Amino acid sequence: MRDFRQLVVWQRAHALTLVVYRTSARIRPRDFPGLGSQLRRAVASIPANLAEGTGHSSRREFARFVQMALASAAEAEYHLQLAHDLGAITPELSQRLLRDIAELRRQLAALLGRVRDELERLGEQRPPHAP
C-alpha cells in the first residue's frame, strides 16, 4: 500500500479532525458530559482507519478499513447533530461541520466503491459485511 498522507480523503479527514478538536473545547463537559470526547474519538477514527488500512498488504483489507472509516464518519455525523440539537455548538459551526462530514462520507463511499470495483476486476471477494 501507499503512504496514507497521499490520500486526499485522508487529508480532508485529518483537517476535519483538527477543526473538531479545536472547536469541541467549546462544549462544556459539565453541561454535556462525554459529548466532546465522543465527538473527538469518532472523528479521529476516520483518518486513523484510513492510515491503518494502508498498512495492510491487501486491497481487501484496505477496503475493510475504508468501510470502518465510513462507519466512523456516520457516528461523527450523529455526534455533531446531537451537539447541534442540544445547543452545545453554535448553529453556524454545526452547519459547517455537518456539511464537511457529509462531503467526507461521500468521498469515503466513492473510494470504497473504487476499491471494491478493483477487487471484482481482480476476481477477489468483497470484504466481509459489505452491503
Side-chain angles (χ1 to χ4, degrees), residues 103-115:
E103 176 61 26
L104 185 59
R105 287 182 68 192
R106 283 189 290 277
Q107 292 172 338
L108 287 165
L111 175 60
L112 183 57
R114 287 191 306 272
V115 174

Side-chain angles (χ1 to χ4, degrees), residues 23-57:
T23 61
S24 65
R26 300 175 190 168
I27 299 175
R28 297 178 309 275
R30 190 181 83 236
D31 297 334
F32 308 102
L35 181 58
S37 63
Q38 280 293 101
L39 176 58
R40 288 186 298 272
R41 183 197 55 77
V43 78
S45 68
I46 302 166
N49 276 308
L50 292 170
E52 187 172 355
T54 62
H56 288 271
S57 60

